Amino acid sequence: MAGLERFLADEAATARLGEDLAMALRPGDVLALKGDLGAGKSTLARALIRALADDTALDVPSPTFTLVQSYDTRVPVHHFDLYRLSSASELDELGFDDALAQGAALVEWPERAEAQMPASTLWIELVHQAEGRRASLSGQGAAIERAARSLAMRDFLDSAGWGEASRRHFVGDASARSYEIVSRAGFAPRVLMNSPRLVLGPPVRDGKPYAVIAHSAQSVTAFVAIDKALLAAGVCVPEIHAEDLDQGFLLLEHLGSEGFLGSDGQPVAERNAAAAELLAMMHGKAWPERMEAAPGVFHDVPPFDRDAMMIEAELLVDWYVPMLTGAPASDALRAGYAREWNAVLDRLAASEYTLMLRDFHSPNIIWRGERSGHDRLGIVDIQDALIGPAAYDVASLAMDARVTVSPEIEKRTVDAYVAARHAAGGFDEEAFREAYAMMAAQRNSKILGIFVRLEKRDGKPFYLKHLPRIRDYLRRALAHPALAGLHAFYVAHDLLEERPL
C-alpha cells in the first residue's frame, strides 16, 4: 500500500503516534525506526512500550549499550538499538529471530542491518520539519494496513474532539472487532470500538458464505441501530458519543469495568437472576424488525430462521465429530443428524419469538452493583441480534459457555425469568421450557463445533478446556422429553461421552 505521512507538532504528538502504533502491534511485527539523533525515535519507542505495558511511568532505558531490552507487555516487545553493530550478521547473535517468535521487535538504526529486516517490516522515518517533525510510514502487508487503520482511528477521535486522548487496549473477541479505553483529562473514560466490515468467507451452501446464512452482522450499522432501540426501551447499553458508519468506528460510553461474575470468577445466583429479569422485561416488549441507525440508514434485523439454526448446529458434525473420530462425519451420520434436528425445529416453530441478543452471557454483561433495577446490568456485544425464540437468550445466560453454571444456579436463573414473565401475564411456561431445552441443545451443539474450529483452524487451543462443560450442558438440555429422539441420536453416536483433551 502507499506510504503514510503524519506531521507531529511536538513531543506529545510523537508520543501519540507511539500509542497508535502500539494499538496496531501484533506478535511477529517489526517496526524499524529511522532518523537522525534527536529526531524523536526514543520518544516514540518509549510511548509505544509504555502503552503496551499500560504504565505511563515504566522505565524504558535506551538499549544503546545493551543492544536489546525486552519487555513482558501485552504483546511482548524487544527493543533493539543497532547503532553499535559492526556487521549485520551480529543480529543473529542478539536473538532477533527468537524475539520475533516470542513477540514484536522495535528496531532503532535498522540501516545497520537493513538486508536482515523481514519483507513485512513497517518502516517509520522521522525527520525534523519546522518546529516539529514529520513521520513517514511505509511497508507492505498486514502491519502497515493495521497501522493505517489505527491512524484512521486517531483521526476519528480528533473529529470527535478526543484527538489528544490516550489509548489503551481494552478487549478483543473471537471476531475482528477490538475495543480500547480512551482517556482525556476532565472527562470520564470512553470506549473506542473498532468494527471493520465483516470479511465474508467462501460459499458453503447454496452459493452463500456461512456468515450470510447464520445472519452475522456485516457492518457496524447493525450495532448502532440495535443499540439505539435498546437504549430507548430502557436497556442499559452504551450511549454512542460519535460514529463513523463507513469506517466502522464508534466512541461509546464506558459502562464500567466490573465483570458479571463474582470476585472468584464464578457465577453469582443473584446476578444471574437479575439478568434473567432483564430478559423478561425485554421479552415483554414489541420490537420492530427494521431499526434506524442514522437518518435514512436502517438495519433490518434478520430472523433466526431454520437455515441459520441448522448451519450453526451442523458445526458439531463439521468440526467436533472429526476431532472425536479422526475422520470427517459420514454421509449417514450427517443425514441422521439433520433429520433429528429438523424434527426438533418443527416443534419450535410455534414458540414465542422476540429480539434475541444471541450472546447474552457473562463476557457481555457488566455488573453495576451501585445502581438499582435493570440499570445494574450493562449490556454490550449486541450487533448480531436476531428476531428469534425468546428462550435462546435465557439458555445462553443459564448455560454460560465461558463458566460453569451449576444445575442449582441454572434452575434459579430460569425460575427468575419464569416468575417475571408470569407476573407480567400471558405467559405459556410449558411452551417456554420446551423451547428452552431446544435452544440450549442447539446453542451448545454449535459451541462444541466452534470451540474445536477455533483450535483447529484459528490456532486457539485454550478454547478446548471448555468442552467438558459444554457436553454437560448438552446432557442437561437433552434430558427434556421433547428431545428424546435427538438425545438417543447423540448417545448412539457417542457425542456426549467425556474424552481426555
Side-chain angles (χ1 to χ4, degrees):
M1 67 179 292
L4 305 168
E5 299 281 334
R6 303 293 269 199
F7 177 68
L8 308 173
D10 50 28
E11 294 293 291
T14 304
R16 284 194 291 274
L17 177 60
E19 285 190 0
D20 297 340
L21 294 172
M23 295 303 100
L25 201 68
R26 299 291 182 272
D29 284 352
V30 176
L31 273 58
L33 300 180
K34 299 176 69 175
D36 294 334
L37 289 170
K41 300 188 300 296
S42 296
T43 298
L44 189 148
R46 189 175 300 114
L48 186 152
I49 292 167
R50 286 174 172 172
L52 286 173
D54 193 15
D55 183 353
T56 57
L58 180 68
D59 185 30
V60 183
S62 169
T64 300
F65 296 105
T66 58
L67 302 187
V68 60
Q69 293 280 138
S70 297
Y71 300 88
D72 186 19
T73 48
R74 179 177 61 82
V75 176
V77 63
H78 308 274
H79 186 190
F80 291 84
D81 186 321
L82 307 186
Y83 185 75
R84 297 196 299 123
L85 234 61
S86 57
S87 166
S89 62
E90 292 179 21
L91 196 60
D92 293 337
E93 299 173 19
L94 293 179
F96 188 72
D97 289 342
D98 289 341
L100 293 186
Q102 300 165 11
L106 187 60
V107 184
E108 296 190 44
W109 301 101
E111 305 93 321
R112 302 300 177 102
E114 191 160 341
Q116 308 295 104
M117 295 294 108
S120 59
T121 296
L122 174 58
W123 294 87
I124 304 148
E125 185 168 11
L126 299 171
V127 295
H128 292 288
Q129 181 176 327
E131 297 300 314
R133 53 179 65 103
R134 178 159 294 278
S136 301
L137 287 72
S138 60
Q140 56 186 2
I144 192 165
E145 291 172 1
R146 281 186 262 106
R149 186 157 181 88
S150 187
L151 294 183
M153 292 166 71
R154 176 65 71 179
D155 291 341
F156 167 70
L157 287 173
D158 191 49
S159 70
W162 279 62
E164 297 183 357
S166 67
R167 299 170 58 184
R168 292 293 184 268
H169 176 78
F170 184 30
V171 67
D173 58 23
S175 73
R177 284 184 300 274
S178 61
Y179 302 84
E180 298 173 12
I181 298 292
V182 292
S183 303
R184 178 182 168 208
F187 292 83
R190 293 181 180 175
V191 174
L192 176 59
M193 179 177 175
N194 172 25
S195 181
R197 181 168 287 275
L198 182 67
V199 176
L200 299 176
V204 296
R205 183 173 301 162
D206 300 328
K208 298 177 182 178
Y210 175 89
V212 170
I213 300 170
H215 302 307
S216 299
Q218 296 184 33
S219 78
V220 78
T221 299
F223 180 97
V224 173
I226 294 162
D227 184 89
K228 290 179 177 179
L230 288 169
L231 203 58
V235 180
C236 182
V237 291
E239 180 182 350
I240 299 171
H241 295 292
E243 60 194 59
D244 186 327
L245 299 185
D246 291 334
Q247 294 197 90
F249 301 143
L250 299 176
L251 186 61
L252 303 171
E253 176 188 6
H254 185 18
L255 294 180
S257 299
E258 184 174 354
F260 184 61
L261 303 175
S263 58
D264 58 356
Q266 297 303 309
V268 178
E270 292 75 17
R271 295 183 184 184
N272 268 48
E277 289 163 359
L278 172 61
L279 285 177
M281 180 274 280
M282 291 170 56
H283 295 170
K285 294 181 179 292
W287 297 93
E289 295 183 14
R290 166 164 277 210
M291 298 178 176
E292 188 174 45
V297 179
F298 295 89
H299 170 64
D300 292 313
V301 184
F304 194 34
D305 52 25
R306 185 179 295 245
D307 286 346
M309 293 183 193
M310 285 299 297
I311 202 163
E312 287 188 349
E314 286 169 359
L315 289 171
L316 181 143
V317 291
D318 292 340
W319 293 94
Y320 183 71
V321 168
M323 185 197 74
L324 296 185
T325 64
S330 68
D331 290 345
L333 188 149
R334 284 184 170 278
Y337 187 81
R339 183 179 61 251
E340 293 297 338
W341 264 112
N342 274 301
V344 168
L345 298 184
D346 286 343
R347 297 174 62 98
L348 183 69
S351 68
E352 178 188 27
Y353 276 58
T354 185
L355 185 67
M356 180 188 114
L357 297 186
R358 207 174 197 170
D359 279 321
F360 192 86
H361 59 168
S362 60
N364 297 330
I365 306 175
I366 296 159
W367 183 250
R368 295 141 57 94
E370 75 284 1
R371 307 202 177 204
S372 61
H374 298 315
D375 199 36
R376 292 174 296 170
L377 299 144
I379 309 301
V380 297
D381 198 19
I382 54 176
Q383 61 281 329
D384 289 323
L386 304 172
I387 300 298
Y392 187 96
D393 281 349
V394 185
S396 177
L397 170 68
M399 295 188 182
D400 191 324
R402 302 301 182 92
V403 65
T404 299
V405 180
S406 67
E408 293 75 23
I409 292 182
E410 180 200 354
K411 182 178 185 304
R412 288 180 63 178
T413 303
V414 176
D415 287 351
Y417 175 85
V418 167
R421 292 300 306 274
H422 275 309
F427 179 61
D428 185 338
E429 180 178 346
E430 183 178 353
F432 163 77
R433 289 190 180 273
E434 181 175 313
Y436 171 84
M438 294 174 181
M439 289 292 87
Q442 188 273 349
R443 178 174 171 82
N444 286 295
S445 296
K446 171 188 75 172
I447 292 172
L448 278 183
I450 285 177
F451 284 175
V452 173
R453 184 177 71 184
L454 284 165
E455 189 264 337
K456 298 295 184 186
R457 189 191 72 183
D458 302 332
K460 299 178 178 179
F462 45 87
Y463 283 93
L464 295 183
K465 68 182 181 182
H466 299 301
L467 296 186
R469 172 188 311 122
I470 306 305
R471 284 190 290 261
D472 177 57
Y473 288 160
L474 256 177
R475 285 190 288 267
R476 295 187 208 175
L478 292 170
H480 192 284
L483 299 179
L486 189 63
H487 187 198
F489 183 89
Y490 276 60
V491 170
H493 292 86
D494 295 328
L495 299 179
L496 302 176
E497 294 299 315
E498 290 303 317
R499 288 172 168 81
L501 295 178

